[in-house]
Amino acid sequence: MSIQRCKIIELPKITDPRGNLSFIEGGQHIPFDIKRVYYLYDVPGGSDRGSHAHKNLHQFIVAMSGSFDVVLDDGAEKKRFHLNRSYYGLYVCPMMWRDLDNFSSGAVCMVLASAHYDETDYIRDYSKFMTAVAAAKA
Ligand code: TYD
């Protein structure tokens, strides 16, 4: 799939002197229904996460606190996204290799996913990812 499908989505933000509020509805603000939520936290400085692709999974990544970078790669093009606000996030379509790095201290990375955890959906070897990308184009 093309990296052009992956994009930053701005979420609704209800500003209030008591504290702001944002929300995400599956199929409304992001282009899939939410089946799973997971989050990365207590990430040590200099740590890298990700380094895999998913065959079918759609994801939406939000920096709930602090900041980090997500590097996406569709096999032809790479893009780096810096996430540092809780009222926007990055939509990641299937078949995107992703690396997460540059975590600030105290960063919390929340991921909304379109399916339950399934190890068989992962591609964890970059050369296998490139083979799958080539096969999809053929
Ligand atoms: P992984 O997806 O490789 O982490 P990251 O992409 O953030 O570097 O997952 C790390 C471990 O956690 C792996 O052993 C599988 C497990 N895991 C679950 O059991 N359920 C989940 O929903 C996720 C995302 C991971």
Side-chain angles (χ1 to χ4, degrees), residues 115-136:
H116 292 165
Y117 176 73
D118 175 9
E119 185 58 36
T120 67
D121 187 64
Y122 280 74
I123 304 176
R124 293 190 183 274
D125 179 310
Y126 191 75
S127 63
K128 285 187 182 148
F129 170 68
M130 290 306 287
T131 304
V133 168

Side-chain angles (χ1 to χ4, degrees), residues 36-40 48-52 54 57 59 98 100 109 111 113 115-119 122 124:
R36 175 166 54 113
V37 179
Y38 66 93
Y39 33 94
L40 301 170
D48 295 343
R49 303 286 317 211
S51 283
H52 59 254
H54 286 281
L57 193 71
Q59 291 177 305
R98 87 285 315 276
L100 282 75
C109 167
V111 184
H116 292 165
Y117 176 73
D118 175 9
E119 185 58 36
Y122 280 74
R124 293 190 183 274

Side-chain angles (χ1 to χ4, degrees), residues 46-126:
S47 200
D48 295 343
R49 303 286 317 211
S51 283
H52 59 254
H54 286 281
K55 296 172 195 164
N56 296 306
L57 193 71
H58 298 254
Q59 291 177 305
F60 185 66
I61 306 176
V62 183
M64 296 303 282
S65 182
S67 64
F68 52 85
D69 290 358
V70 183
V71 182
L72 297 182
D73 173 359
D74 66 5
E77 197 184 333
K78 271 190 191 185
K79 267 192 196 174
R80 178 176 287 271
F81 298 86
H82 183 61
L83 297 180
N84 63 354
R85 293 282 182 270
S86 50
Y87 55 86
Y88 65 76
L90 176 64
Y91 166 65
V92 182
C93 68
M95 287 303 289
M96 272 313 123
W97 191 267
R98 87 285 315 276
D99 290 294
L100 282 75
D101 61 18
N102 203 19
F103 284 89
S104 70
S105 73
V108 178
C109 167
M110 180 183 72
V111 184
L112 309 183
S114 62
H116 292 165
Y117 176 73
D118 175 9
E119 185 58 36
T120 67
D121 187 64
Y122 280 74
I123 304 176
R124 293 190 183 274
D125 179 310
Y126 191 75

